[in-house]
Amino acid sequence: KQEVTQIPAALSVPEGENLVLNCSFTDSAIYNLQWFRQDPGKGLTSLLLIQSSQREQTSGRLNASLDKSSGRSTLYIAASQPGDSATYLCAVRLPRGGANNLFFGTGTRLTVIP
Amino acid sequence: DVKVTQSSRYLVKRTGEKVFLECVQDMDHENMFWYRQDPGLGLRLIYFSYDVKMKEKGDIPEGYSVSREKKERFSLILESASTNQTSMYLCASRTGNYGYTFGSGTRLTVV
C-alpha cells in the first residue's frame, strides 16, 4: 500500500524566507502527484500537479519537483508571505482504476511570521 | 477554472435525522468523490462515482449512501445521522489525467 509522508509536520518561518516542504512516498510507480493548500476550516485548493513524466512545475512563487526514483517531491515557496500560512498536503495518484488510488500525505502546517 | 460547489458550509443536525450533502461541479467531469476529514486521521474516501448512476465504495462507506442522477451532481446521504459522523466533508471531481478539484467543504455537527 502506498504510504505518503510529509516532513516536517509543522514549520514556522519569518516573512520573506524561502522554504522547502517535503513529501515522500513508498511506491514509485505513480501516475501523478498533486500539491494542495488548506486553510483552517476550508476545502483543499490545488496548487500544482506534476505528471509522472515531468520533473517539475512552477506557478508564481511556487515550484514543485518530482523524483520518482527516490520517491520524493518538494514544494519550494519563494519569498514567503503571511498569506502563505496554511496546511500543505501532497497527494499521490497510482496508475490503476477505481476509487482507492489517491493517497494523501500527513500535511505540513506552515506559519509565516510577519 | 473548474468549480466544485458544496451547498452548505456548516450544518447542525440531530441524531437520527436523514442528512443530504449536495455537491455540484461545472466542468463535465465524469469522476466525483466524497471524503471526510478528521484530525489525526486525514482524508478518508467514503464513496466514488465514475459515471451517472454508477458508484463504488471507498474506505469508510458504512452509514452513508450516495446518489448521482445527473453528471454534475453528487449527493452524500447519511441515512440516520450519528454523533460519530460529525466531521468535515469534502467533495471533489476529476477528469482523465488531470488533478482533483475540491469544494470548500461542509462542516457537519450531529448533536
Side-chain angles (χ1 to χ4, degrees):
Chain A
K1 181 186 172 185
Q2 177 76 269
E3 306 244 345
V4 184
T5 305
Q6 292 183 246
I7 294 174
L11 179 65
S12 286
V13 300
E15 181 177 0
E17 198 164 287
N18 302 326
L19 60 101
V20 174
L21 306 181
N22 297 293
C23 172
S24 59
F25 45 94
T26 53
D27 185 347
S28 62
I30 68 170
Y31 191 67
N32 58 38
L33 184 146
Q34 195 167 1
W35 282 94
F36 297 91
R37 71 172 275 167
Q38 186 175 31
D39 295 289
K42 302 279 182 69
L44 276 64
T45 299
S46 180
L47 298 173
L48 289 164
L49 172 71
I50 311 178
Q51 301 294 347
S52 62
S53 59
Q54 298 174 321
R55 294 300 300 266
E56 65 177 330
Q57 284 287 329
T58 297
S59 176
R61 294 183 293 110
L62 305 180
N63 176 275
S65 68
L66 175 64
D67 183 345
K68 280 198 312 179
S69 61
S70 65
R72 299 181 75 170
S73 176
T74 61
L75 179 67
Y76 174 82
I77 303 177
S80 58
Q81 302 171 357
D84 295 330
S85 298
T87 296
Y88 290 79
L89 293 162
C90 66
V92 171
R93 182 178 165 196
L94 297 185
R96 64 171 187 251
N100 297 323
N101 65 353
L102 185 71
F103 295 85
F104 283 89
T106 45
T108 295
R109 188 171 69 250
L110 172 66
T111 303
V112 181
I113 303 164
Chain B
D1 279 351
V2 177
K3 196 167 183 182
V4 176
T5 303
Q6 294 184 232
S7 55
S8 304
R9 286 293 310 280
Y10 301 95
L11 276 178
V12 180
K13 297 291 182 182
R14 296 196 178 276
T15 302
E17 272 193 80
K18 190 169 186 176
V19 181
F20 293 84
L21 302 184
E22 305 289 344
C23 176
V24 177
Q25 51 97 0
D26 65 359
M27 282 297 287
D28 204 37
H29 286 183
E30 64 274 16
N31 303 297
M32 296 187 75
F33 307 80
W34 274 106
Y35 289 87
R36 65 176 282 178
Q37 185 179 29
D38 301 285
L41 297 176
L43 280 88
R44 293 179 291 168
L45 181 67
I46 305 171
Y47 264 100
F48 159 58
S49 171
Y50 51 93
D51 203 347
V52 174
K53 298 189 187 295
M54 307 304 286
K55 62 186 179 185
E56 192 172 311
K57 292 179 180 179
D59 297 319
I60 49 163
E62 297 78 20
Y64 303 94
S65 63
V66 289
S67 172
R68 193 162 179 204
E69 297 296 319
K70 294 186 177 181
K71 193 173 185 179
E72 67 269 20
R73 184 180 297 270
F74 192 34
S75 303
L76 180 69
I77 304 156
L78 286 67
E79 297 291 342
S80 177
S82 64
T83 55
N84 63 13
Q85 292 178 310
T86 291
S87 185
M88 169 70 94
Y89 289 87
L90 295 165
C91 176
S93 73
R94 189 198 80 215
T95 187
N97 65 347
Y98 294 95
Y100 287 67
T101 300
F102 280 83
S104 54
T106 296
R107 169 70 65 182
L108 173 68
T109 302
V110 183
V111 297

